[in-house]
């Protein structure tokens, strides 16, 4: 058989399909729906997780620090950084001080606050960054009291200087200090959070022990990650043991791939969503397989005649192959369109800097398009193989004898029913996951906050140490701003704290009891009036007041979690000490004067963290210096009416007192809470959309199978009606058959869903547990959907006229 004949057969199949394009469009749309969402998620996963970092040999870049039993990474104490010089597995190292800090940058109008990373000169060298303009920091600039320099991010260079190539050697006023611009980072530079500026750390050889460093390392060629981790752990633990540090000797240290570490915050969530979209694509494939199987059944009589007249198997199957190519083309093109729309939505609503750092945009890459084409072809090839199997020539005699009235054979009927069961199982799985995430989102929304956010406006500033060097100066500034805010008409109460209550995280410190017991808790310094401004319940004792000033006996208020988990006996008047030896200052002893309620944990569903609140004026200068690297001053302003109405007045009042400081987060506390819980809502929304489409595809597949089965058994319905079967009896018979398939598929899906829910809970901290009532509601929903899908074909069977069916010869 020559190529012309083959092409002619395919062309004839295309002509027939295009004359009646309903099947191609339905099957193509089904494929486009599943393929489009899967492709969009693959593009997102590729951008954020799979794509190599934009640094040379990025697979050799690691982050070094202690890890706990669950594999959670934390920063390295600064005193251990120099010890890494003896680790031969590392080619070079560099560090940043924490995950960045906020700084005030002067502009022609009002100052702005941006994120800056203090780094040593080894940081960019270790990453292998090639500067867009200028150079890295010099040794002199990185030394204590060296020249003040700054490196701009590519985005800051574009927005502030309009990509002016002559920006080098200009002066930028940062936190009141003039700094010389020495370089511009490339556009591809990536960090875990948005960064505008790099500043020289200027620690030199006198690294302060209290600082937490994010240490980057580059492995030597030929050194494995496991070997490097073992050497780092052994080397650091030996050094700790030699110093007699009984607490630090229990730590374990490791090297983690930088790419894995940067995606650690969202890797599991993206993986769950991608698994759900893959399941949707599989469901679409099962649906297309069912449609093609039913298509083959419809063409079986004509194909049998051709086979009986001597047509080869290839010629009888070419029309179906040609139709499959059309379905694949329509599905892939439609899928790319759906993916493009989904990514546009993702760029507008999902790609937030606070979630994905410096990556704020994703697009259909060449790899994503290749994935879409390959996945589409594989799905259609799987579906076509089932159709071709049904059209094999061994069924020709039966088809010829039946005269085209036989409909589905027993084997093809069993296969169709099996596919419907598979559809029901996959839809059940996705719906269960959607309900699981919806429950989690509902629990998050209804979780007790531990304070009242209804009439609270928030604002934050970051006073630099150059202008406000110590606790005394910072306290005086805070008192003046609070006094000015309190004078605004409609303001009820103003309080200040070092960390916003949402999200609930802060610097953790070690506390010692007189009994010798030691515990860890979050540490927050606050002003008088803070608990009243947030209406935080006072459970015991008193709140902090203006009498708790510098020079007065040091006091603290704890939350209920501290008393529950760490204190024995009554909390009031117990004395605890803050372990401050690591930052080179004497321990401070605090008398507990009050207990307040817990605030919501982050993530929700986890136990409330222990928190110790201390008056701002009593914080030692050395401790305050360390805390200010990582915290802002957050003002909590309780007002009458809607908080948004006070934005302008609050900003004006703060600028009247501190005109050199930028103000951020001037927004209602309720909005801040919504933003903090947005990831949970986003996960719930995305998976609910996927689950809804899965339900739609499952119902369409069931409707198609039952509809064809009813048409194929038309004579049977007529005979049953002639023998006295009522329309209601025929309707019930058809619905019962469909629900039997749905029920079996639902049972299989529930088993899969229970396993998947356990997996989700292991990755998604705070995820809900499926209850019996939830499972019962899910089964009811699936049975209702299945009944509706069976209803139209069942009504058609019940209305079959006996005379017409019996005369259909």
């Amino acid at each position: 058989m020559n190529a012309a004949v083959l092409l002619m057969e395919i062309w004839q199949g295309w002509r027939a399909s295009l004359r009646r394009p309903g099947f191609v469009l339905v099957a193509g749309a089904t494929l486009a729906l599943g393929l489009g969402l899967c492709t969009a998620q693959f593009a997102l996963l590729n951008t954020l997780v799979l794509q190599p970092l934009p640094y040379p040999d990025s697979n050799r870049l690691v982050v070094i620090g202690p890890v706990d039993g669950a594999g959670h990474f934390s920063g390295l104490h600064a005193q251990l950084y120099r010890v890494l010089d003896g680790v031969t597995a590392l080619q070079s190292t560099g560090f940043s001080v924490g995950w960045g800090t906020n700084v005030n940058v002067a502009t022609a109008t009002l100052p702005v606050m941006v994120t800056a990373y203090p780094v040593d000169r080894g940081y960019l060298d270790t990453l292998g960054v090639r500067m867009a303009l200028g150079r890295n920091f010099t040794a002199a600039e990185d030394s204590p009291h060296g020249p003040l320099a700054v490196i701009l991010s590519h985005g800051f260079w574009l927005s502030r200087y309009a990509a002016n190539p002559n920006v080098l050697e200009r002066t930028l006023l940062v936190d009141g200090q003039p700094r010389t611009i020495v370089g511009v980072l490339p556009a591809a530079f990536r960090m875990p959070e948005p960064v505008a500026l790099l500043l020289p750390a200027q620690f030199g050889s006198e690294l302060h022990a209290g600082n937490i460093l994010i240490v980057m390392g580059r492995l030597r060629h030929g050194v494995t990650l496991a070997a490097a981790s073992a050497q780092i752990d052994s080397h650091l633990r030996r050094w700790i043991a030699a110093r007699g540090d009984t607490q630090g000797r229990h730590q374990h240290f490791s090297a983690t791939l930088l790419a894995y570490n940067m995606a650690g915050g969202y890797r599991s969530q993206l993986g769950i969503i991608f698994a759900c979209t893959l399941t949707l694509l599989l469901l679409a494939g099962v649906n297309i397989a069912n449609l093609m199987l039913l298509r083959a059944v419809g063409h079986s009589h004509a194909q049998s005649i051709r086979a009986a007249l001597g047509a080869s198997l290839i010629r009888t199957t070419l029309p179906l192959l040609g139709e499959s190519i059309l379905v694949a083309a329509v599905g892939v093109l439609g899928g790319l369109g759906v993916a493009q729309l989904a990514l546009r939505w993702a760029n507008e609503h999902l790609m937030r800097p606070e979630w994905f750092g410096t990556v704020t945009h994703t697009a259909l890459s060449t790899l994503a398009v290749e994935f879409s084409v390959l996945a589409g072809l594989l799905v259609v090839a799987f579906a076509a193989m089932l159709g071709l199997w049904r059209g094999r020539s061994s069924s020709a005699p039966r088809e010829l004898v039946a005269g085209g009235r036989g409909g589905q054979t027993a084997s093809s009927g069993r296969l169709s029913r099996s596919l419907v069961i598979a559809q029901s199982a996959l839809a059940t799985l996705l719906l269960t996951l959607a309900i699981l995430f919806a429950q989690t989102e509902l629990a998050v929304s209804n979780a007790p906050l531990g304070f009242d956010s209804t009439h609270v406006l928030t604002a934050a500033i970051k006073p630099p140490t150059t202008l406000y060097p110590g606790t005394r100066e910072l306290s005086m500034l805070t008192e003046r701003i609070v006094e000015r805010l309190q004078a605004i008409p409609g303001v009820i109460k103003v309080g200040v704290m070092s960390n916003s209550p949402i999200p609930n995280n802060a610097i953790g410190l070690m506390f010692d009891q007189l009994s010798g017991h030691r515990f860890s808790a979050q540490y927050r310094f606050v002003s008088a009036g803070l608990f009243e401004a947030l209406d935080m319940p006072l459970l015991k004792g008193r709140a902090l007041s203006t009498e708790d000033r510098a020079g007065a006996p040091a006091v603290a208020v704890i939350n209920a979690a501290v008393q529950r988990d760490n204190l024995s006996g009554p909390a009031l008047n117990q004395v605890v000490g803050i372990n401050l030896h690591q930052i080179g200052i004497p321990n401070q002893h605090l008398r507990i004067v009050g207990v307040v309620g817990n605030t919501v944990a982050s993530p929700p569903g986890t136990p409330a963290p222990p928190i110790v609140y201390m008056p701002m004026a009593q914080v030692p200068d050395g401790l305050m210096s360390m805390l200010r690297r990582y915290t802002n001053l957050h003002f909590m302003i309780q007002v009458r009416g809607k908080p948004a109405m006070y934005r302008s007045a609050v900003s004006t009042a703060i600028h009247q007192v501190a005109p050199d400081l930028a103000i951020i987060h001037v927004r209602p506390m309720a909005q801040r809470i919504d933003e903090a819980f947005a990831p949970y809502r986003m996960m719930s929304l995305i998976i609910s959309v996927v689950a809804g489409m899965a339900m739609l595809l499952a119902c369409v597949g069931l409707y198609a199978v039952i509809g064809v089965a009813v048409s194929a058994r038309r004579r049977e319905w007529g005979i049953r009606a002639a023998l006295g079967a009522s329309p209601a009896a025929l309707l019930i018979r058809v619905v019962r058959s469909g629900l039997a398939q749905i029920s079996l598929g639902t049972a299989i899906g529930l088993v899969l869903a229970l396993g998947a829910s356990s997996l989700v809970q292991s990755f998604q901290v705070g995820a809900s547990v499926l209850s019996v009532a939830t499972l019962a509601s899910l089964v009811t929903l699936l049975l209702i959907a299945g009944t509706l899908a069976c209803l139209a074909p069942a009504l058609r069977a019940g209305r079959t006229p006996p005379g017409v069916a019996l005369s259909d010869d």
Side-chain angles (χ1 to χ4, degrees):
M1 184 183 300
N2 56 39
V5 175
L6 294 177
L7 293 175
M8 181 59 68
E9 287 287 351
I10 294 176
W11 173 244
Q12 292 296 334
W14 285 357
R15 288 184 60 188
S17 298
L18 293 175
R19 280 198 299 268
R20 302 182 66 180
F23 169 78
V24 172
L25 293 178
V26 170
T30 300
L31 178 60
L33 198 61
L35 188 61
L37 293 180
C38 196
T39 301
Q41 183 59 26
F42 177 82
L44 190 63
L45 194 67
N46 180 59
T47 300
L48 296 171
V49 178
L50 303 178
Q51 192 171 346
L53 295 176
Y55 308 122
D57 295 328
S58 60
N59 60 326
R60 292 167 49 213
L61 292 173
V62 296
V63 182
I64 301 166
V67 291
D68 59 19
H72 297 139
F73 169 85
S74 59
L76 191 71
H77 281 286
Q79 61 183 344
L80 295 174
Y81 179 67
R82 295 301 180 200
V83 185
L84 292 174
D85 292 342
V87 178
T88 58
L90 298 174
Q91 176 179 312
S92 63
T93 59
F95 68 82
S96 66
V97 183
W99 289 118
T101 183
N102 290 327
V103 296
N104 298 273
V105 175
T107 68
T109 53
L110 293 175
V112 296
M113 190 176 293
V114 299
T115 301
Y117 270 57
V119 302
D120 73 334
R121 67 188 306 266
Y123 187 85
L124 294 180
D125 288 341
T126 298
L127 292 178
V129 174
R130 299 179 177 89
M131 305 292 288
L133 287 177
R135 56 171 175 81
N136 189 10
F137 299 123
T138 63
E141 290 164 345
D142 194 31
S143 62
H145 312 296
L148 298 180
V150 62
I151 294 175
L152 311 181
S153 71
H154 199 271
F156 188 86
W157 178 51
L158 290 177
S159 61
R160 178 70 189 274
Y161 295 99
N164 186 348
N166 299 318
V167 71
L168 299 180
E169 302 303 322
R170 289 191 182 184
T171 298
L172 184 67
L173 199 62
V174 179
D175 276 346
Q177 293 181 309
R179 291 181 175 269
T180 302
I181 299 173
V182 298
V184 176
L185 294 170
F189 182 78
R190 280 187 62 181
M191 296 192 86
E193 63 182 46
V195 57
L197 308 173
L198 294 185
L199 308 176
Q202 296 190 333
F203 282 169
S205 59
E206 300 177 359
L207 287 171
H208 300 293
N211 287 295
I212 302 298
L213 307 181
I214 307 303
V215 178
M216 305 292 175
R218 180 174 287 275
L219 302 182
R220 294 188 185 277
H221 286 285
V223 176
T224 65
L225 185 64
S229 295
Q231 187 180 136
I232 290 168
D233 184 58
S234 173
H235 193 77
L236 293 182
R237 293 180 70 185
R238 277 200 310 269
W239 186 87
I240 292 173
R243 287 172 56 92
D245 187 345
T246 57
Q247 177 189 351
R249 68 184 180 185
H250 298 296
Q251 285 185 309
H252 291 271
F253 302 89
S254 179
T256 308
L257 286 177
L258 176 59
Y260 182 88
N261 192 274
M262 289 185 70
Y266 47 78
R267 179 187 296 271
S268 59
Q269 288 85 349
L270 292 178
I272 290 171
I273 296 176
F274 186 54
C276 289
T277 55
L278 277 177
T279 305
L280 180 66
L281 179 58
L282 179 59
L283 179 56
V286 172
N287 214 331
I288 295 170
N290 227 336
L291 292 173
M292 286 197 168
L293 182 62
L294 299 175
R295 185 73 161 178
V297 170
H299 290 171
S300 59
H301 184 65
Q303 300 292 20
S304 297
I305 293 177
R306 296 188 67 192
L309 294 176
S312 66
L313 179 61
I314 295 179
R315 293 196 65 170
T316 57
T317 57
L318 278 177
L320 183 59
L321 286 175
E323 203 166 42
S324 301
I325 294 173
L326 281 181
V327 170
V330 172
V332 169
L333 291 176
L336 291 175
V338 171
Q340 190 65 44
L341 293 175
L343 290 178
R344 182 180 299 176
W345 177 88
N347 286 327
E348 292 178 1
H349 300 93
L350 194 62
M351 302 299 290
R352 297 184 180 181
E354 61 268 26
W355 293 353
F356 302 119
T358 51
V359 183
T360 58
H361 184 271
T362 185
L364 275 178
S365 62
T366 302
L367 185 61
V369 173
E370 292 173 351
F371 167 83
S372 181
V373 173
L374 180 60
L377 290 176
L378 288 176
V379 168
V380 174
F382 163 74
M385 285 175 62
L386 291 179
L388 293 175
W389 173 82
R390 173 59 184 83
R392 66 194 187 283
S393 59
S394 61
S395 63
R398 183 168 54 250
E399 295 291 349
L400 292 174
V401 171
R405 300 184 302 272
Q408 284 184 299
T409 63
S411 60
S412 62
R414 283 194 298 270
L415 181 56
S416 288
R417 288 191 292 273
S418 299
L419 292 175
V420 169
I421 292 171
Q423 287 176 321
S424 302
L426 294 174
T428 302
L429 172 61
L430 290 177
L431 281 171
T432 305
L433 290 177
I435 292 175
L436 184 68
F437 279 96
Q439 283 186 169
T440 302
E441 191 273 325
L442 187 63
V444 166
S445 300
N446 295 332
L449 298 175
F451 59 91
D452 187 358
S453 64
T454 309
H455 299 287
V456 176
L457 185 72
T458 67
I461 59 175
K462 183 68 178 290
T465 55
T466 53
L467 301 178
Y468 308 92
T471 299
R472 177 176 175 274
E473 292 80 7
L474 194 65
S475 297
M476 292 176 60
L477 170 68
T478 302
E479 290 173 3
R480 293 199 304 272
I481 294 177
V482 168
E483 182 180 353
R484 184 65 189 84
L485 291 173
Q486 197 73 59
I488 298 175
V491 171
I492 301 172
K493 197 69 177 177
V494 180
V496 183
M497 65 191 313
S498 54
N499 294 82
S500 174
I502 298 292
N504 195 342
N505 50 41
I507 297 295
L509 296 177
M510 295 302 300
F511 294 84
D512 298 313
Q513 293 182 257
L514 296 180
S515 62
H517 173 68
R518 175 175 290 185
F519 64 92
S520 175
Q522 291 186 13
Y523 179 88
R524 302 181 183 215
F525 60 80
V526 301
S527 72
L530 183 278
F531 301 130
E532 294 83 353
L534 291 176
D535 285 334
M536 293 177 63
L538 182 65
L539 306 180
K540 295 177 183 177
R542 67 172 178 86
L544 301 177
S545 70
T546 54
E547 299 301 317
D548 300 315
R549 59 173 64 93
V555 298
V557 170
I558 62 173
N559 72 341
V562 174
Q563 183 177 25
R564 179 195 65 205
D565 299 335
N566 300 294
L567 301 183
S568 58
L572 295 184
N573 294 319
Q574 283 202 42
V575 176
V576 296
I578 311 178
N579 194 325
L580 301 176
H581 284 311
Q582 288 189 339
I583 58 176
I585 63 175
N587 289 352
Q588 184 182 30
H589 293 87
L590 315 172
R591 184 172 61 87
I592 298 174
V593 297
V595 180
V596 295
N598 296 327
T599 52
V600 65
S602 179
T606 56
I611 303 175
V612 175
Y613 301 94
M614 184 177 177
M616 177 191 299
Q618 295 183 346
V619 179
D621 281 339
L623 178 58
M624 179 66 80
S625 176
M626 184 192 76
L627 294 174
R628 289 172 67 176
R629 289 185 176 272
Y630 311 106
T631 61
N632 299 326
L633 287 184
H634 294 267
F635 292 85
M636 306 292 154
I637 307 156
Q638 188 183 102
V639 299
R640 295 184 179 88
K642 295 181 179 180
M645 298 169 54
Y646 294 81
R647 283 177 172 170
S648 177
V650 165
S651 298
T652 300
I654 295 176
H655 274 140
Q656 287 175 347
V657 177
D660 296 330
L661 301 185
I663 308 172
I664 58 172
H665 303 320
V666 185
R667 56 191 174 188
M669 174 60 79
Q671 180 182 341
R672 191 178 184 88
I673 294 169
D674 287 342
E675 292 173 356
F677 293 157
Y680 298 92
R681 298 192 179 99
M682 199 63 66
M683 283 283 289
S684 177
L685 173 63
I686 293 172
I687 296 181
S688 295
V689 169
V690 173
M693 292 182 177
M695 174 67 84
L696 176 64
L697 291 179
C699 289
V700 169
L702 179 63
Y703 174 84
V705 171
I706 298 298
V708 172
V710 166
S711 298
R713 298 170 65 186
R714 180 179 174 85
R715 289 172 60 80
E716 177 187 338
W717 307 131
I719 293 172
R720 289 181 180 276
L723 293 176
S726 66
L730 296 178
L731 184 146
I732 292 173
R733 189 179 185 87
V734 174
V735 172
R736 186 172 57 196
S737 174
L739 289 183
Q741 300 167 42
I742 290 253
S743 299
L744 181 56
T746 300
I748 296 173
L750 286 176
V751 174
L752 296 174
L754 290 174
S757 64
S758 301
L759 183 64
V760 168
Q761 290 166 34
S762 66
F763 284 109
Q764 183 80 2
V765 179
S768 300
V769 178
L770 288 171
S771 63
V772 175
T774 300
L775 293 177
S777 302
L778 174 64
V779 171
T780 303
L781 175 64
L782 289 167
L783 292 179
I784 291 174
T787 301
L788 293 176
C790 297
L791 201 55
L795 289 171
R796 193 161 63 248
R799 294 171 181 169
T800 303
V804 174
L806 293 174
S807 62
D808 189 14
D809 292 323

